[in-house]
Amino acid sequence: MTTVAPDTGVGPLLRGWRERRRLSQLELALRAGSSARHISFVETGRSRPSEEMVLRLAEQLDVPVRDRNALLLAAGYAPRFARTPLDDPSMAALRAGVEQLLRGYEPYPALVVDGTYTVVAANRGIAMLLEGLPEHLLSPPLNAMRITLHPEGLAPRIRNLREWRGHLLAQMERQIALIRSKELRELYDEVAAYPLAVSSAAGPAAEETGYGEDGAVGGADAPYAYLALPLRIEHDGRVLSFVSSISTFNTPMDVTVAELAIETLLPADPATVGYLRSLTP
């Protein structure tokens, strides 16, 4: 008979997720249609939850699909969710749809990343922003966080690097708080240790679009009201402005699909719109 170590059984794992979500046993029980007594028995190992209960609790705790498999295994059940490689023939329709979306978004930049920000697809708008970067950063596997914050990457071109860097690191911190990923933690530690790069667009040659004299977003003399923090990045002597939007798949049933995110960079001002459209044949 196979036994499960006390600290890796389904009870302690569920308790860990519950505490991470800052829910009491009663709150979780009410959400899952159970009782606080039953939740307590499950967490202490006095009761073995059914497969349906494991999945129901995981749903209410917003456990990532990958970790739902781990909960099922710890409870003695088979994994429910496959992890299909993106290049598998069964993923052909998904790949085609994503590629069509990326092409349709051009000339604006858009890309697809996995759970550790590895770029799995990108359009020509992204390729434009990456022009001139050193080969060692562009060699596969390309990582969006690394290439953005590395002092030899996009960082010197980003006018509001301190703000944008803070936004990206906070985004990673939220993800680390939600999921258990050694790879994501290691990536965070790496990029957080990068020194702040000196902007290569700090001189008068770069044409500004919509910022105060101090370079702050939404300065007193800024002609545009930015409703979200923009990415201000230099390209070919101009400073382009984008706001970022991230989309994921609803109710994914596959680990690979669950960890994909589509990021689109929407022009944040008319000058950026005009410039990008002028590049379209």
Side-chain angles (χ1 to χ4, degrees):
M1 177 178 178
T2 301
T3 58
V4 180
D7 60 341
T8 58
V10 68
L13 291 176
L14 284 169
R15 182 176 65 247
W17 283 109
R18 179 179 60 78
E19 292 173 348
R20 184 171 297 194
R21 300 297 185 257
R22 299 183 179 181
L23 292 176
S24 68
Q25 291 180 341
L26 178 59
E27 289 172 317
L28 177 58
L30 291 173
R31 293 186 182 188
S34 183
S35 68
R37 177 184 176 87
H38 182 56
I39 299 298
S40 175
F41 278 19
V42 167
E43 290 186 355
T44 58
R46 295 178 64 183
S47 176
R48 180 184 181 227
S50 66
E51 183 178 14
E52 178 188 358
M53 177 58 73
V54 172
L55 292 172
R56 194 188 313 163
L57 294 175
E59 178 71 22
Q60 297 305 317
L61 291 170
D62 195 24
V63 176
V65 172
R66 177 195 298 267
D67 292 285
R68 295 185 193 193
N69 279 339
L71 288 174
L72 288 168
L73 282 170
Y77 304 110
R80 176 72 65 90
F81 307 98
R83 185 182 182 186
T84 310
L86 200 55
D87 59 358
D88 190 89
S90 64
M91 291 285 206
L94 182 142
R95 291 196 309 271
V98 167
E99 289 167 3
Q100 182 178 8
L101 186 152
L102 296 182
R103 288 195 304 270
Y105 199 69
E106 293 174 350
Y108 308 146
L111 72 161
V112 182
V113 297
D114 66 13
T116 56
Y117 294 96
T118 298
V119 178
V120 298
N123 68 4
R124 289 181 292 179
I126 291 294
M128 174 198 71
L129 295 179
L130 301 184
E131 290 173 357
L133 293 189
E135 185 62 32
H136 72 89
L137 287 177
L138 298 177
S139 299
L142 184 65
N143 187 277
M145 285 294 180
R146 185 175 292 119
I147 204 168
T148 300
L149 297 178
H150 196 284
E152 296 180 40
L154 293 177
R157 305 178 186 180
I158 299 176
R159 282 296 189 88
N160 58 333
L161 178 60
R162 190 176 297 276
E163 292 172 294
W164 193 252
R165 176 180 181 273
H167 153 68
L168 294 182
L169 293 180
Q171 176 180 308
M172 295 182 72
E173 288 172 347
R174 289 192 296 271
Q175 283 187 269
I176 291 170
L178 289 173
I179 64 176
R180 293 190 258 200
S181 172
K182 177 183 177 183
E183 294 82 2
L184 191 57
R185 167 55 69 180
E186 291 175 348
L187 177 64
Y188 175 88
D189 291 340
E190 175 191 338
V191 299
Y194 290 159
L196 280 173
V198 177
S199 173
S200 63
E207 180 180 332
E208 286 283 5
T209 56
Y211 301 90
E213 291 181 356
D214 61 354
V217 174
D221 57 344
Y224 309 119
Y226 294 103
L227 303 180
L229 177 68
L231 166 65
R232 302 173 54 214
I233 186 167
E234 187 271 339
H235 178 266
D236 197 24
R238 292 175 179 266
V239 178
L240 307 179
S241 307
F242 300 97
V243 291
S244 171
S245 174
I246 297 177
S247 303
T248 56
F249 291 90
N250 287 333
T251 320
M253 301 298 292
D254 185 280
V255 174
T256 299
V257 176
E259 295 179 351
L260 293 179
I262 303 170
E263 181 169 11
T264 53
L265 297 179
L266 180 69
D269 55 49
T272 300
V273 172
Y275 175 70
L276 292 177
R277 287 183 176 175
S278 73
L279 300 178
T280 306

